[in-house]
Amino acid sequence: MNKHFISALFFISCLVSSAQGSQPAMADDMRADGKIYVVIGVLLIIFISIIGFLVVLERRIKKMEDKIKSKN
Amino acid sequence: MLGPVPRLDILNETIRNVYYHVPIWFAMLFMMAVSLYYSIKTLSSGAIELDEKARNAAAVGLFLCVPGMITGSLWARFTWNTWWTFQDPKLSGVAIGVLIYIAYFILRSSVDDELKRARLSAVYNIFAFVMLNVFIMVLPRLTDSLHPGNGGNPAFATYDLNSNMRMVFYPAVIGWILFSFWLFDIRNRLSALKRFTDE
């Protein structure tokens, strides 16, 4: 009786643990490897925004150059 | 970047974002302070060049809000499980702060007379800076927040920013402030050139 009870408990705990193992996967890539890809994402965002700032500057300088050229 | 960091639950490796997300906001506050400085100088001297410097500093500060907010949002998605939440007073505060500074630029563009614009926007900028500090530095400390160090004392002392991280964090803050100053300088030179070509 006791033996059966323990084996049943073992079986149930195996089921529970396997159920936990197959929990719904959510954005696993970003949570993999200690969420290091979030840090990479942050780096990319900063890089892209700085590039954006430089492009805006570049266009303003271009406009000014055209103005100076048309004056001369 | 690859230095040793404390092992924490939920945060995991994203603790390294402290090197990027936080210094950006420090640089943004620094630029707004520079803007305030030039606004006060504008009021005492009435020079248009100083007003332009105040505008450029505020523009760089507002630009720094963009990566600051997006990186914060991405970080929040994978630690707090949400892109944005109004539960956190710091997030709401920063949203209001950004709107205040957008209003500053709208105010500027709505006044045609240069001298009038310089004086008006300088006065507004003083209020804007005070409000920004109230919203992002004072109010979040009075209530509970998801950000560390809020709802009580400033961060760092209680937060596990250990000495290894400090060695990266403080140079990062200095670097970002210098970088923002460089952007500010480029904008100043550009507006000086613009004044020269418009004449």
Side-chain angles (χ1 to χ4, degrees):
Chain A
M1 168 67 196
N2 209 3
K3 228 194 224 165
H4 285 295
F5 179 70
I6 289 172
S7 61
L9 208 68
F10 179 72
F11 183 69
I12 290 168
S13 69
C14 279
L15 263 185
V16 168
S17 62
S18 72
Q20 271 171 350
S22 64
Q23 264 185 350
M26 310 277 285
D28 278 328
D29 284 342
M30 289 301 249
R31 288 204 173 79
D33 296 327
K35 298 177 187 168
I36 193 71
Y37 291 107
V38 176
V39 181
I40 291 170
V42 163
L43 281 174
L44 274 178
I45 289 163
I46 294 169
F47 182 74
I48 289 167
S49 55
I50 289 171
I51 294 289
F53 191 89
L54 287 175
V55 167
V56 171
L57 270 183
E58 149 83 33
R59 280 163 98 189
R60 285 197 189 168
I61 291 170
K62 180 90 193 148
K63 221 190 259 175
M64 221 175 282
E65 278 175 342
D66 291 345
K67 221 174 190 179
I68 292 170
K69 263 181 204 159
S70 62
K71 264 188 183 174
N72 291 340
Chain B
M1 171 73 200
L2 292 173
V5 292
R7 284 174 173 270
L8 300 174
D9 278 341
I10 303 170
L11 275 176
N12 306 114
E13 293 282 1
T14 63
I15 186 74
R16 295 176 202 278
N17 281 352
V18 169
Y19 302 151
Y20 308 103
H21 172 74
V22 185
I24 286 178
W25 287 112
F26 279 21
M28 170 272 193
L29 263 184
F30 179 78
M31 267 299 119
M32 293 315 188
V34 169
S35 178
L36 174 77
Y37 170 75
Y38 281 111
S39 282
I40 293 171
K41 274 189 100 174
T42 309
L43 282 180
S44 61
S45 71
I48 299 293
E49 301 87 51
L50 294 174
D51 178 51
E52 268 174 357
K53 281 189 175 179
R55 184 202 60 199
N56 290 336
V60 173
L62 200 59
F63 159 70
L64 289 172
C65 284
V66 175
M69 283 173 101
I70 299 175
T71 57
S73 190
L74 183 72
W75 195 0
R77 175 66 187 82
F78 296 102
T79 50
W80 303 342
N81 268 319
T82 174
W83 294 108
W84 184 275
T85 169
F86 284 101
Q87 306 268 310
D88 187 316
K90 210 152 204 166
L91 267 61
S92 320
V94 99
I96 297 168
V98 167
L99 289 178
I100 287 173
Y101 274 94
I102 289 173
Y104 169 73
F105 286 98
I106 294 172
L107 175 74
R108 291 192 64 91
S109 62
S110 64
V111 182
D112 282 330
D113 183 39
E114 270 190 333
L115 275 172
K116 209 176 188 177
R117 179 172 62 205
R119 262 183 292 133
L120 251 177
S121 58
V123 171
Y124 180 83
N125 199 12
I126 292 168
F127 281 112
F129 186 74
V130 173
M131 292 308 279
L132 179 76
N133 275 292
V134 167
F135 279 122
I136 73 172
M137 303 302 279
V138 181
L139 285 183
R141 299 219 194 292
L142 295 179
T143 55
D144 280 334
S145 169
L146 292 164
H147 276 92
N150 290 320
N153 292 315
F156 304 150
T158 53
Y159 190 43
D160 314 56
L161 193 66
N162 62 15
S163 54
N164 287 322
M165 286 193 75
R166 277 170 211 271
M167 267 163 58
V168 184
F169 178 72
Y170 290 129
V173 171
I174 295 168
W176 270 99
I177 287 177
L178 289 177
F179 177 72
S180 66
F181 219 84
W182 178 49
L183 295 183
F184 173 55
D185 187 52
I186 291 175
R187 298 281 307 235
N188 281 339
R189 280 151 64 190
L190 204 62
S191 55
L193 272 175
K194 192 159 198 285
R195 220 178 315 118
F196 180 72
T197 51
D198 284 348
E199 275 164 10

